[in-house]
Amino acid sequence: MGNGAPAGRSGRVVVTGIGVISGIGIGRAAFLDGLLAGRGSAAPVTAFDVTGFDYGKVCEVPAFAFDEERPHYGRATQMIAAAALMAVEDAGMAPARLRASRGLVAVGTTEGEARDVDEMTTTEVNKGLADIDPVLARRARLGRMPVSVADDLGLDDVELVTLPDVCAAGNYAIGYGLDALRAGEVSYALVGGADSPCRKSFAAFYRLGALARDECRPFDADRTGVVLGEGAAMLLLEPLEAAEARGAVIHAEVLDYHFNCDAGHPTRPSGERVAECLRGALDNAGVTPAEVDLLIAHGTATKANDPMEAAAFTEVFGEVPVPPVSAIKSMIGHTMGGAAAHSSIAAILGLEHGFLPPTINHTTTDPECPVDCVPNQARRAEPKIALVNSLGFGGLNAAVVLKRYERSAS
């Protein structure tokens, strides 16, 4: 739990920098435009061969060019480094200021450089171990992801953490950063996640029956599953007093979080434990269900997830109406290790700019998922509190509570 020790005088932690790479836009402004427009990005996959599968769409980011001059970092690692740099620039933070302070870089991921692992496996099967490219072997380690951020920014007084908490990893990273700041261990935290799906992950989701044939339709009666996506999302967190002292633009406040684990089925979350996690996040944040204005769902559009998640929401909110529920995987796909951080950034932009992100590709709400999913079009609103839900295979549940920042009159 993150509540407790001071970050600054108040113990409050805020988001001052956002870096995002997604199928609907690169950078905070482009991502915001994509959310407001309800833009989708699913298209036939180009990154790997899907011969033998009946269908194959992924939300790729063709505008992100792999830098061939930096072969020691793979595609997902280059994405996280680029997103971190964007977050620092967005925060108006001089890299020299970061270098002068003790910091944290926490990166969540499901598979890291999965495409490299695919390529090495193919080489081993077809030619043998001796022919595996040593460059791929060196850069495939998950620990390289935060190292790339420190490398690019020239950080040496920094804790580097990789959190392999699969599809909830982005929220785990946010919670880790919140704790480190509140404990006074660091002066800033760069937190988020990234993934770039490969043929192996595509085949795994396909065999599970979890992939959509065409589009991702969360909470829709005709949903068939999720579309995988690639991308990265990073946030720069600071103590409130530090951000205000340097005149930073504050995008939102991180109130608190909660994690738990089902320790049950490997791929099917427990609705009871998901509800406990959401309730725990609200309790830690000191927020009542009636105060929540926006709920970002995990929203995978699978037959199993959506009714379970909708029922958990109903249980948590009890006698008060479940607030509008947005499922942004309908637009950017399931970015796995980056998904929760992408969702948190979508919530932050909704809080900051006064709108509810839409759930696109929606036609008819499934009676088993009775939520207002903000169908197809972003909705103007004035949300003050957002609750971001994320789930991961293995029973990992992580929820984050965010608040619109309002500068005090004093």
Side-chain angles (χ1 to χ4, degrees):
M1 265 51 69
N3 51 351
R9 291 188 304 276
S10 67
R12 295 168 65 185
V13 172
V14 294
V15 180
T16 56
I18 290 173
V20 59
I21 296 170
S22 76
I24 62 170
I26 296 177
R28 177 169 58 86
F31 189 62
L32 172 62
D33 287 346
L35 294 174
L36 288 169
R39 188 180 304 138
S41 57
V45 61
T46 63
F48 49 86
D49 184 10
V50 290
T51 300
F53 298 96
D54 290 338
Y55 45 89
K57 282 187 174 183
V58 170
C59 295
E60 295 176 307
V61 189
F64 183 84
F66 180 77
D67 185 352
E68 300 289 351
E69 300 297 317
R70 307 177 73 210
H72 49 297
Y73 293 134
R75 183 173 177 83
T77 303
Q78 289 195 12
M79 281 188 169
I80 203 70
L85 184 58
M86 285 181 214
V88 171
E89 292 174 346
D90 183 53
M93 178 77 82
R97 187 180 182 119
L98 293 182
R99 293 180 202 123
S101 306
R102 171 74 176 164
L104 165 72
V105 178
V107 175
T109 189
T110 295
E111 297 187 311
E113 296 303 344
R115 294 184 187 178
D116 289 347
V117 175
D118 259 11
E119 186 173 338
M120 287 189 288
T121 303
T122 301
T123 300
E124 180 182 359
V125 169
N126 294 333
K127 298 180 180 178
L129 274 172
D131 285 303
I132 288 178
D133 185 341
V135 172
L136 301 187
R138 281 194 292 268
R139 76 186 190 189
R141 289 172 290 133
L142 302 184
R144 297 288 291 168
M145 300 180 82
V147 168
S148 71
V149 175
D151 190 9
D152 280 9
L153 291 167
L155 308 176
D156 54 21
D157 187 13
V158 63
E159 179 184 358
L160 303 177
V161 182
T162 302
L163 297 169
D165 298 294
V166 289
C167 303
N171 274 354
Y172 273 83
I174 292 171
Y176 195 101
L178 185 66
D179 278 353
L181 285 162
R182 283 180 166 168
E185 297 170 354
V186 297
S187 298
Y188 67 89
L190 277 163
V191 298
D195 262 309
S196 187
C198 66
R199 192 169 190 270
K200 173 181 64 67
S201 48
F202 182 91
F205 275 79
Y206 183 97
R207 291 289 294 158
L208 285 169
L211 282 187
R213 290 183 169 272
D214 47 9
E215 305 285 356
C216 177
R217 300 184 176 87
F219 307 113
D220 194 280
D222 294 326
R223 68 189 184 282
T224 58
V226 78
V227 173
L228 296 181
E230 69 169 351
M234 288 292 274
L235 305 92
L236 180 63
L237 310 184
E238 297 180 72
L240 171 64
E241 288 80 2
E244 288 185 331
R246 66 181 187 85
V249 173
I250 295 174
H251 298 301
E253 181 175 355
V254 184
L255 291 185
D256 226 307
Y257 69 90
H258 191 69
F259 308 150
N260 68 13
C261 182
D262 299 352
H265 194 278
T267 61
R268 186 183 305 126
S270 156
E272 179 182 357
R273 295 291 284 162
V274 171
E276 287 176 8
C277 186
L278 293 166
R279 198 178 290 116
L282 294 177
D283 288 346
N284 291 341
V287 169
T288 67
E291 294 177 287
V292 178
D293 305 300
L294 168 63
L295 225 170
I296 303 289
H298 189 62
T300 55
T302 59
K303 291 296 183 184
N305 177 86
D306 291 7
M308 177 282 302
E309 204 173 8
F313 296 159
T314 299
E315 181 180 338
V316 169
F317 285 85
E319 295 182 357
V320 302
V322 175
V325 177
S326 299
I328 69 165
K329 289 183 179 66
S330 60
M331 289 179 275
I332 68 171
H334 193 347
T335 55
M336 300 189 290
H342 279 116
S343 292
S344 287
I345 289 175
I348 289 166
L349 294 175
L351 295 171
E352 186 177 18
H353 296 275
F355 73 99
L356 308 178
T359 301
I360 67 169
N361 309 316
H362 194 79
T363 302
T364 304
T365 300
D366 186 337
E368 291 189 78
C369 312
V371 297
D372 169 10
C373 68
V374 195
N376 300 317
Q377 294 185 331
R379 186 183 304 164
R380 283 295 170 192
E382 294 297 331
K384 293 182 180 178
I385 301 285
L387 176 60
V388 180
N389 190 37
S390 63
L391 313 173
F393 282 172
L396 298 172
N397 309 312
V400 167
V401 184
L402 302 160
K403 181 181 180 183
R404 184 171 72 193
Y405 176 70
E406 295 173 344
R407 192 177 295 273
S408 66
S410 60

